[in-house]
Amino acid sequence: MITSRFFFCNARSMVHCIALVLAVLGLGCDAAFSEGATQLKWEMLVPSTEPLANFPQELPIEQQEALRNVLYWKGHPSGELSEEFALQRDEAKKRVDADREKLAKQGVDLDALYERYAIWAGETERRGTLTEKKHDGKRVAIAGYLLPLDFDPKGTTEFLLVPYFGACIHEPPPPPNQVIYLKASAPYAPTSLFEGVLITGTMRVQSAKKDLSFVDGSSKVASGYVLEGETIEPYQHEEGGQ
């Protein structure tokens, strides 16, 4: 289902986060990467494609707001709802109807606008699943932030490696080709959540979907790569990177 959450955040993840990675991680600094390993930057995990215009941001503000209302309305489940959710859905529907009538007077079809958005969002999502096959089986080194999949104080061997601080928790997860499922060769205990690390190991171009636990529940996060980690080293990001 295409939701307003996707509208507000996924486009930013796809269009802006890749561009911010170098600044966030400071990957251009003089870190000592393991001998024989190819230094990877996160943007190297995204295949080259023709630029995709950020369709929603190109619309007038009034049409953007109308689209948000449609997405909010469609994001509510159908069928039997609690009184509170039913009221919210009814109010959202009223706003959509008002927007549809208002835009129609300007010669704009709100339903057609939503269909155009749905096509754009689907293509954005598809591009987020594309991976670089040339990295498969290669020994690589890449810096990022660790999210443990198991909170064992003695350490764990399964993590998600993400390109920027706050990914998957403070906002929706990055696209799969910007998430790496890390399988460490030995248990590792991060000193803190979102610890900056430098990983060296063998990259596999292989999709995975893992449960990431939060204080208030869990969520499945898709990744486009699996990294068989040989070493995990704390990584000091440049000042101003976060």
Side-chain angles (χ1 to χ4, degrees), residues 6 11 22 26 36 55 57 82 99 113 127 147 160 171 187 194-195 223-224 231 233:
F6 182 92
L22 294 180
F55 164 67
Q57 298 302 321
S82 66
D99 288 337
L113 196 66
R127 291 187 180 204
L147 287 171
L160 293 181
E171 58 182 54
F194 283 112
E195 181 179 40
S223 60
T231 62
E233 306 170 53

Side-chain angles (χ1 to χ4, degrees), residues 131-206:
T131 51
E132 276 286 9
K133 309 304 180 187
K134 65 184 179 184
H135 300 313
D136 192 43
K138 298 297 178 62
R139 190 166 180 269
V140 304
I142 186 168
Y145 291 93
L146 275 187
L147 287 171
L149 295 176
D150 179 17
F151 291 94
D152 187 333
K154 296 180 181 179
T156 184
T157 59
E158 294 187 273
F159 303 86
L160 293 181
L161 186 68
V162 293
Y164 55 92
F165 190 90
C168 302
I169 290 183
H170 301 310
E171 58 182 54
N177 59 20
Q178 291 288 279
V179 179
I180 297 173
Y181 167 46
L182 172 63
K183 297 194 294 184
S185 59
Y188 180 81
T191 57
S192 63
L193 187 63
F194 283 112
E195 181 179 40
V197 293
L198 174 66
I199 309 293
T200 302
T202 301
M203 182 73 86
R204 305 292 181 191
V205 180
Q206 179 181 329

Side-chain angles (χ1 to χ4, degrees), residues 84-102:
E84 179 181 359
F85 275 102
L87 180 60
Q88 290 178 2
R89 182 177 173 83
D90 289 345
E91 290 299 318
K93 179 62 165 57
K94 290 179 182 177
R95 290 196 295 272
V96 170
D97 288 342
D99 288 337
R100 183 182 288 111
E101 183 177 349
K102 183 177 181 179

